[in-house]
């Protein structure tokens, strides 16, 4: 965002008929909304589009998740039926939801072909044993992510939401965060959908094994995605980088979305200025990655549903911020 | 709320197609929404009505506020014009806002007479020197608060919002909280709209002087309101107690609203079960009073605007909670 616009937005904020700082975080968000729109006062945020990228993960055959892989496909059907958590929230807030199968193991041939249009592969290889994707698959996933962002922007998105679905996905997300920040697995690995203490220890060991296997190759962000990510995580990273490059702001969700954002920032330094953190998840890696990105979540409700749900739940507050900056009385009006 | 309904709501929450606890605080809120509605699943919350009670405070002539008293009347005009912060948020969320002059010093004779319909007096006496209201004024303010709640409920409110406007009002609010909890002034007094360190020390001394002056008389919640409150704070307390008595849930706002809720709980023990805390304000007394009431705020955005703004900002999340419980797929649907 243009520093002159940030300055102009701050000046308008300071001129509102409120005590200085009385809007708290909504004031900071208002400045971000105006700056990312390139407009002071900002326009109402009407067209918000959420993209949920779904995929399976080879590691989920290795005891890292409390739920079986079959849930991934079942949840894609639930999105299509409009009955997932994010579907309910999106309906409430007039947000479109597009669910795309990037790497679900199940075939899903009975669904609208648009859901599978960008499928890169079925599942991914277990990252502690081998690279998640081939080089070709990673290239394809990167192109797909960027193209999806372009499509959403072409459709008029003023604000994008990055969501995810996939049993086992907190394991590659932890690996991406650890590899990007040079941290050990235990600093970033969490319980995901709810593994017990033994499950957490095992999951942490799997993440560490993956990090050790890849070693210095993770100095390259593209290799990080290919070796430790998956088709959906790789596409998420380029989706985010492309949105930032195009100057369209994005609401990040939980640890999956934030792991992808961390890699997006490595691919396109400065991208994080276009991101806002929708909510604080319960995964430790999310907090660490957000701090690195300089982002403070809007909501802190202990949510860990994924799907983009925490991001969509935050949309009304982001809208509020912009509306307050645009529509509140100015002190100059009040006391002439 | 009926414990059987709480149980039924928890059971439905546990049956949703999500990992256990994945909705975090939204899950708890969903149970509260269903239980206060007396319906599982809950109905959508469509009719939300905010009441902003305005008044001036004698202590504001004694250096407790960063702003002059004239702002109170100017802000009432801003509400009427629909340009206050809460007006903007309420428009966004389809919430009605009713602003009522309970004790503004300015005459406001040029405004719609409905704004002044329930005016108890102009201003209030300085609480460190004498009782804020006469016994008769306090009785009248109590009746008015209850009647306003009845009117809003009769108009169909499914959810009420308690807001406030009045320069100097964090001083009597601190006194009400300290008197209700037997705490010293320094534990509960904050900077309000932004007094400096010397101003805070002076404000704290004024609150302590008021507490010392009233002494054991504050054991009676009605005397607490009469001696340490104001017309608007007194009416807020009975507004809240009456809403709870009628079984209509209320979203509390900042320190003013929560101070009134604390006295409402003293007037009508159990009332707090009908309240939800919209946001965490920056005033220390609000956090202490919320803890006593067993309430955890939905939002924590550093807001300190008053007006009911933090409560209205939280309305979409309260709506989300109810909608998620009602409309998400059940696990039984997903894996038959």
């Amino acid at each position: 965002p243009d520093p002159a616009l940030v300055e102009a937005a701050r000046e308008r904020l300071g001129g509102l008929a409120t005590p200085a700082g009385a809007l708290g975080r909504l004031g900071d968000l208002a400045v971000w909304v105006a700056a990312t729109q390139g407009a002071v006062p900002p326009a109402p945020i009407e067209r918000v589009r959420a993209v949920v990228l779904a995929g399976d993960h080879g590691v989920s055959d290795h005891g890292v998740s409390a739920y079986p892989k079959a849930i991934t496909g079942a949840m894609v059907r639930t999105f299509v039926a409009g009955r997932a958590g994010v579907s309910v929230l999106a309906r409430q807030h007039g947000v479109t939801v597009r669910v795309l199968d990037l790497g679900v193991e199940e075939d899903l041939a009975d669904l609208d072909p648009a859901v599978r249009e960008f499928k890169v592969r079925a599942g991914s290889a277990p990252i502690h044993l081998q690279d998640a994707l081939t080089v070709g698959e990673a290239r394809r996933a990167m192109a797909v992510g960027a193209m999806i962002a372009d499509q959403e922007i072409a459709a008029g998105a003023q604000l994008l939401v990055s969501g995810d679905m996939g049993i086992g996905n907190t394991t590659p997300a932890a690996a991406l965060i650890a590899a990007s920040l040079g941290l050990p697995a235990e600093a970033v690995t969490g319980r995901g959908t709810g593994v017990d203490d033994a499950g957490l220890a095992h999951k942490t060991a799997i993440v560490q094994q993956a990090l050790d296997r890849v070693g210095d190759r993770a100095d390259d962000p593209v290799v990080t995605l290919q070796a430790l990510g998956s088709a959906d995580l790789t596409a998420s990273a380029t989706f985010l980088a492309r949105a930032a490059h195009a100057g369209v702001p994005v609401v990040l969700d939980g640890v999956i979305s934030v792991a992808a954002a961390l890699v997006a920032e490595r691919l396109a330094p400065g991208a994080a200025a276009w991101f806002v953190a929708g909510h604080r998840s319960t995964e430790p890696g999310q907090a660490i990655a957000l701090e690195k990105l300089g982002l403070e979540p809007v909501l802190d409700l202990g949510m860990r549903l994924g799907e983009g749900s925490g991001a969509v739940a935050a949309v009304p507050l982001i809208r509020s911020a912009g509306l307050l900056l645009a529509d509140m009385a100015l002190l100059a009006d009040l006391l002439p």
Side-chain angles (χ1 to χ4, degrees), chain A residues 124-176:
Chain A
S124 64
I127 57 172
H128 60 309
L129 301 176
Q130 61 189 104
D131 284 0
L133 307 173
T134 67
V135 170
E137 286 162 352
R139 280 195 193 127
R140 184 159 166 224
M142 290 181 74
V144 160
M147 187 169 56
I148 295 166
D150 283 338
Q151 289 177 343
E152 295 298 313
I153 294 164
Q158 292 170 290
L159 183 67
L160 291 168
V161 169
S162 144
D164 64 87
M165 180 65 221
I167 296 301
N169 62 7
T170 60
T171 298
L176 293 181

Side-chain angles (χ1 to χ4, degrees), chain A residues 23-317:
Chain A
L23 296 181
R25 282 291 318 283
L26 290 185
D28 304 332
L29 269 176
V31 171
W32 178 83
V33 166
T36 56
Q37 280 191 9
V40 179
I45 302 172
E46 278 152 11
R47 296 178 306 282
V48 184
R49 301 179 70 92
V51 174
V52 179
L53 302 184
D56 277 304
H57 303 274
V59 281
S60 62
D61 292 328
H62 297 264
V64 296
S65 177
Y67 286 82
K69 237 184 210 176
I71 295 286
T72 306
M75 283 305 302
V76 171
R77 291 175 206 283
T78 307
F79 286 107
V80 171
R83 295 197 62 204
V86 73
S87 320
V88 173
L89 297 170
R91 213 151 40 230
Q92 179 190 357
H93 301 313
V95 172
T96 66
V97 179
R98 184 177 177 198
V99 58
L100 292 169
D101 167 9
L102 273 275
V104 179
E105 203 147 288
E106 194 181 332
D107 185 40
L108 303 174
D110 55 316
L111 297 181
D112 180 344
V115 172
R116 287 168 294 132
E117 188 182 355
F118 299 118
K119 188 160 188 158
V120 172
R121 57 173 283 174
S124 64
I127 57 172
H128 60 309
L129 301 176
Q130 61 189 104
D131 284 0
L133 307 173
T134 67
V135 170
E137 286 162 352
R139 280 195 193 127
R140 184 159 166 224
M142 290 181 74
V144 160
M147 187 169 56
I148 295 166
D150 283 338
Q151 289 177 343
E152 295 298 313
I153 294 164
Q158 292 170 290
L159 183 67
L160 291 168
V161 169
S162 144
D164 64 87
M165 180 65 221
I167 296 301
N169 62 7
T170 60
T171 298
L176 293 181
I177 293 168
S180 295
L181 300 179
L183 293 171
E186 65 177 354
V188 299
T189 308
R191 291 178 191 274
T193 49
V195 293
D196 61 15
D197 288 350
L200 178 60
H202 175 67
K203 182 176 172 182
T204 305
I206 293 265
V207 172
Q208 190 60 51
Q209 192 180 335
L211 295 169
D212 293 344
R213 182 185 67 74
V214 175
D216 289 349
R217 291 172 62 217
D219 292 349
D220 179 334
V222 174
V223 176
T224 305
L225 292 167
Q226 179 231 323
L228 296 172
S230 62
D232 51 303
L233 274 159
T234 301
S236 292
T238 54
F239 172 84
L240 292 169
R242 178 62 64 96
H245 183 75
V248 175
V250 188
V251 193
L252 304 179
D253 189 38
V255 70
I256 313 304
S257 164
V258 170
L262 194 60
V263 183
E265 174 70 24
R266 292 173 67 197
L267 291 168
W274 299 90
F275 305 153
V276 68
H279 81 123
R280 185 173 297 289
S281 101
T282 54
E283 288 291 296
Q286 198 232 19
I288 291 169
L290 284 177
E291 198 184 341
K292 174 69 182 182
L293 292 169
L295 301 175
E296 176 83 21
V298 176
L299 298 176
D300 185 0
L301 296 170
M303 293 173 72
R304 50 186 175 81
L305 182 59
E307 310 179 352
S309 58
V312 174
V315 164
L317 290 155

